[in-house]
Amino acid sequence: MSADPIADPITPSGSLSAVREVWAQRSQARTRGDVLYLVYVLALSVLIVGAPALRAAGTALSRPDVVPLLIATGAPQISTAVTLAGGASLVLLGAVRGPALLSPFFTASLASSAIPRRSVLWRPFLRSLLVTVLGMVIPAVLIGATLVSAGHVELGAAGWFALAAVGTGMMLGAAWFAGQLLGPAGRRLLAAALGLLAIGALMLPAGIGIGGAYPVGGRLPGPSAVASSLVGVLAVGAAVLLLGRLRGSVLQEQAARWESATVSATTMDLSGAAGFFRPPPAAGRRLPAIGAGPLAVLYARRDVVAWLRSPERTTVGVIASLLSAAVLAGSTVITGPLAWFLLLLGSLGLWLASGTFVDGIRHGVHTLGAPQLFGQTAAVQTLLHLTAPIVLLTALGAVGGLGAWLAAGSVPGSALPAVLLPAVLALVLVVGRARDAAKGPMPLSLSTPMPTPQGDVSVLPMLLWLSDAILLALGVGALLLGSATGGALWMLGAGAAASALMGLMAWVRLRALVS
Amino acid sequence: MESMGRDATLHVEQDDRSDELVRFEGVGVVSDDNVLLLDATGAARAGEILALTGANGSGKTTLLRVMAGLADPTAGTVRIAGRRPDDRDRIFRAALAALIGPPQTARDLTIVEHLQFIAATWGIGAKAARVQAEELLDELQIGALGRRFPHELSSGQSQLVSLALTLARPSRVLLLDEPEQRLDVDRLGLVIDAVRARAEAGGAVVLASHSPRLLEELADVRLHLEEQR
């Protein structure tokens, strides 16, 4: 070890103490008192607001159209399968935004320095872990509270389930980290394995892992919860030990992408933010994207080949579309608040999945304002780029809906709405994507202060403008489900009207961008 | 304020505009009291190359944008192939190709496919589009880049590809804004040859440039724009 402190800035323990000292001397730095106050406020919020809110929600959900679904025979297996599928998704997410991530500045100054990466990255990793743990614990407590309110289980059973959720959340955090650490082949293999395990879990006679601790029907709640927690702790421990194995190029690339996306999102450019998570294509460059035929075929073929060039993204999009369609179909065969929850979840999922297949539409709109390269105007290009995603997504919607209907026991008479709802919604969402692509910057008038006795509410129109695409997707889903009570023709009519409205809005926005 | 080369003045004096593809008279652009361009007048016939020169901020790009229909003049008139620049006019669109800033590429098409796709959207058959794309790549000596995606290009390669994309579509008028950007000496020679070939094929070219070599070898007519202060 060199005696020169400049040549070797690491303290003997390899810790970050010197860096922390410098960082704490900033004028904006949080003092120890600030941190303690933050912890105090957080703890009080959880106790005063969070816990009673969950309990109240549990009481509200203990209804005859919700509880039977929570105590269904296959519920433990489904909870295991959903968790495994979530793990597969997190593994894939790790490729674009891993849990152990610093800002670009700290990545360049700390993670690229001689300080061990583990010393630098364990804090952000633990912060990310909080997301997966809370993501598991909150629904687990909600399910537990509902079943306790309905008198189906004791408080202890709900407690074991919550404990199992903590351990599972830690395992999911480790899976997320694995996605960041592994190369493309290993990552895909792990995600595929978890996906297959999710399917396999549905066929088991009993739930395992978190499913084993499910409050109703879980075979070994105590041992399952303890085992889940132990495995979770071990997985997190292993991940912390492996933090030093993360590659600098991965950290730099993800940090830059995350910061750009954050900047876009905070400046109300959500689609721009989402764009940073679209990795550039790297495969299938020899596939013939351009061929003979009429313009509609020319554009559709080019779009289809483009999808094949991002196989990972396309696979995720297809799976997400099928699952969302299945969830939407589920909303047509049950009733009550769970049906509406499934509708919102499925609509949101299908809207997100549709983003995978509409790069052509975005490109058509983006040619506006530049010297014309293509033989068609931006509006006509957009129209021609609609064909391929409409065909694919409506087909996926129908297949996913049919699959869910078959899995739900093929209830006679419910097949048509189960298939039509996701298929028609897919059509409307793709046309809506053209509208989203032509959105343009936020009008300045929306940021005009709106003083009221309750304060400035100008944030509300800004939030509405920001989330209009999502709100419209959810609204159209609700409209279609509502129209299903009138029959298939009503649903088709509502879908046609919503598509026409979306198309009209897209056209108006394109006109506004041109002028 | 602008001054025009002797050749251009002669063209105007002859008043024979039958083969004139580009004409602009007294064009000015003022934006929020900022003068971007003042009183520019010039013309280019079929087979002729008009070069816009002038310091940064003299309005060269603004004038090109006006000619391309991307900006409206606040004074003067512009005619491209006899039409007023208007993006909604199909005949105008078919007549004019322009490279003003980087073109919007598709992230998931290779370079050769971009060239084929552009040609196909203008009604050129798939086979002919493929042949034309290969010829363009050969002409600019970027055949090795054909299978690359746009994000896999260097800065200079992007400039050559941008030019190739602009040349891939049919046009009678070609506008180029500083085509020499980021090019080495050899590549600049290729661009000069390519532009000259378009003019010799009967097109009118208007280009803005700071490159003495490019101006020396290409400019048939020069229009010098004075810096706007």
Side-chain angles (χ1 to χ4, degrees):
Chain A
M1 184 179 278
S2 166
D4 183 354
I6 294 175
D8 184 5
I10 316 168
T11 56
S13 64
S15 75
L16 278 168
S17 53
V19 175
R20 288 216 183 90
E21 200 176 322
V22 172
W23 193 244
Q25 285 167 1
R26 290 170 306 138
S27 59
Q28 303 289 321
R30 278 197 191 117
T31 62
R32 194 175 290 271
D34 292 341
V35 174
L36 280 175
Y37 179 71
L38 204 65
V39 171
Y40 168 74
V41 168
L42 208 67
L44 275 190
S45 303
V46 168
L47 288 173
I48 296 172
V49 181
L54 276 174
R55 198 173 159 193
T59 308
L61 283 174
S62 56
R63 298 160 43 115
D65 48 10
V66 174
V67 174
L69 293 168
L70 296 182
I71 59 171
T73 318
Q77 291 93 318
I78 289 174
S79 65
T80 306
V82 168
T83 308
L84 285 165
S89 309
L90 283 169
V91 168
L92 294 176
L93 177 66
V96 286
R97 204 288 184 199
L101 204 60
L102 294 160
S103 69
F105 170 69
F106 283 131
T107 304
S109 58
L110 293 179
S112 305
S113 74
I115 302 171
R117 285 214 169 120
R118 194 194 311 156
S119 310
V120 176
L121 293 171
W122 70 266
R123 275 169 179 253
F125 174 63
L126 291 188
R127 273 198 293 270
S128 301
L129 204 61
L130 208 61
V131 176
T132 55
V133 170
L134 285 178
M136 287 303 298
V137 169
I138 291 172
V141 170
L142 194 59
I143 290 173
T146 306
L147 292 175
V148 169
S149 290
H152 281 277
V153 296
E154 297 295 319
L155 200 59
W160 285 126
F161 189 48
L163 181 65
V166 173
T168 309
M170 293 167 94
M171 283 189 254
L172 288 179
W176 189 8
F177 170 73
Q180 189 179 17
L181 181 70
L182 291 170
R187 185 168 53 240
R188 284 170 197 160
L189 206 64
L190 180 60
L194 287 171
L196 287 175
L197 283 174
I199 296 168
L202 290 172
M203 298 166 188
L204 290 175
I208 53 168
I210 192 166
Y214 196 80
V216 179
R219 295 277 170 91
L220 298 164
S224 292
V226 173
S228 293
S229 304
L230 281 177
V231 174
V233 170
L234 285 174
V236 168
V240 170
L241 287 175
L242 288 168
L243 282 172
R245 302 290 303 160
L246 283 170
R247 291 179 193 281
S249 56
V250 171
L251 290 173
Q252 280 171 359
E253 186 189 309
Q254 293 198 353
R257 187 186 291 149
W258 182 244
E259 183 165 90
S260 303
T262 313
V263 167
S264 288
T266 48
T267 52
M268 303 282 160
D269 181 11
L270 266 194
S271 61
F276 289 106
F277 292 99
R278 292 198 286 269
R285 66 181 77 222
R286 291 189 186 281
L287 291 170
I290 315 300
L295 279 176
V297 175
L298 177 75
Y299 275 79
R301 176 178 175 153
R302 167 240 180 282
D303 284 336
V304 171
V305 171
W307 300 338
L308 298 175
R309 286 178 173 166
S310 298
E312 210 163 4
R313 184 168 167 240
T314 302
T315 306
V316 172
V318 167
I319 293 172
S321 302
L322 287 170
L323 290 177
S324 304
V327 170
L328 281 166
S331 72
T332 65
V333 293
I334 61 172
T335 56
L338 265 191
W340 288 102
F341 173 72
L342 290 185
L343 177 85
L344 296 182
L345 190 69
S347 302
L348 183 65
L350 199 58
W351 179 77
L352 289 171
S354 68
T356 314
F357 306 107
V358 294
D359 279 350
I361 294 173
R362 294 190 186 106
H363 179 248
V365 173
H366 290 171
T367 57
L368 265 177
Q372 183 138 357
L373 269 185
F374 303 98
Q376 292 71 44
T377 60
V380 176
Q381 285 181 57
T382 306
L383 197 65
L384 290 165
H385 276 301
L386 283 173
T387 318
I390 282 179
V391 170
L392 179 73
L393 269 175
T394 46
L396 288 174
V399 169
L402 186 65
W405 178 76
L406 291 172
S410 312
V411 184
S414 62
L416 204 53
V419 172
L420 270 186
L421 174 63
V424 174
L425 182 60
L427 164 72
V428 182
L429 291 184
V430 174
V431 182
R433 282 287 183 174
R435 174 193 166 280
D436 303 344
K439 189 167 185 175
M442 186 179 76
L444 275 180
S445 56
L446 285 182
S447 52
T448 310
M450 297 168 67
T452 69
Q454 285 73 38
D456 183 8
V457 294
S458 63
V459 69
L460 293 178
M462 283 162 71
L463 282 176
L464 277 177
W465 187 88
L466 178 70
S467 51
D468 65 342
I470 299 171
L471 293 176
L472 271 176
L474 300 181
V476 171
L479 172 77
L480 293 178
L481 184 64
S483 66
T485 51
L489 275 179
W490 272 95
M491 198 192 282
L492 286 171
S499 299
L501 185 65
M502 292 284 188
L504 184 67
M505 286 195 280
W507 183 72
V508 169
R509 281 184 164 183
L510 278 170
R511 294 264 303 176
L513 285 178
V514 171
S515 61
Chain B
M1 290 287 289
E2 103 285 349
S3 58
M4 208 163 170
R6 196 163 54 89
D7 291 351
T9 313
L10 281 176
H11 286 312
V12 176
E13 284 170 357
Q14 286 167 356
D15 202 29
D16 175 12
R17 299 181 180 178
S18 58
D19 59 348
E20 210 171 70
L21 288 175
V22 178
R23 166 154 289 278
F24 47 96
E25 289 178 356
V27 174
V29 177
V30 180
S31 173
D32 290 337
D33 295 334
N34 294 303
V35 179
L36 307 182
L37 176 68
L38 192 62
D39 199 23
T41 298
R45 296 162 181 270
E48 199 169 56
I49 299 176
L50 166 63
L52 307 177
T53 60
N56 293 333
S58 58
K60 300 187 294 298
T61 302
T62 302
L63 180 54
L64 288 176
R65 287 178 60 79
V66 168
M67 283 191 262
L70 301 174
D72 290 326
T74 43
T77 57
V78 181
R79 289 291 179 272
I80 301 293
R83 323 279 294 195
R84 193 171 64 83
D86 183 348
D87 181 51
R88 293 162 296 184
D89 179 356
R90 290 180 56 162
I91 297 173
F92 166 74
R93 290 204 308 268
L96 182 126
L99 176 59
I100 306 170
Q104 183 72 44
T105 51
R107 60 206 300 279
D108 36 33
L109 288 185
T110 62
I111 302 308
V112 70
E113 286 168 352
H114 270 89
L115 300 174
Q116 290 175 35
F117 188 64
I118 291 168
T121 63
W122 288 99
I124 298 172
K127 199 171 176 180
R130 194 158 44 245
V131 172
Q132 182 190 295
E134 297 297 341
E135 285 173 355
L136 259 174
L137 292 172
D138 287 344
E139 184 180 12
L140 294 172
Q141 294 183 12
I142 48 174
L145 308 181
R147 295 279 174 203
R148 290 197 193 178
F149 291 112
H151 67 272
E152 295 170 335
L153 301 175
S154 74
S155 158
Q157 288 169 340
S158 293
Q159 176 68 0
L160 283 172
V161 166
S162 298
L163 189 68
L165 297 181
T166 310
L167 299 180
R169 50 151 295 175
S171 66
R172 297 169 68 199
V173 176
L174 180 61
L175 307 182
L176 300 171
D177 190 11
E178 299 185 16
E180 73 274 13
Q181 279 182 35
R182 305 185 297 278
L183 296 181
D184 60 37
V185 177
D186 293 339
R187 303 301 189 289
L188 183 59
L190 292 172
V191 170
I192 289 171
D193 291 344
V195 174
R196 174 53 70 194
R198 268 53 186 188
E200 285 173 354
V205 181
V206 182
L207 57 87
S209 177
H210 292 288
S211 163
R213 180 184 165 196
L214 189 137
L215 292 169
E216 182 62 34
E217 295 190 32
L218 281 181
D220 298 321
V221 188
R222 295 190 190 202
L223 175 64
H224 186 75
L225 301 175
E226 297 296 338
E227 191 175 356
Q228 308 302 324
R229 293 178 187 277

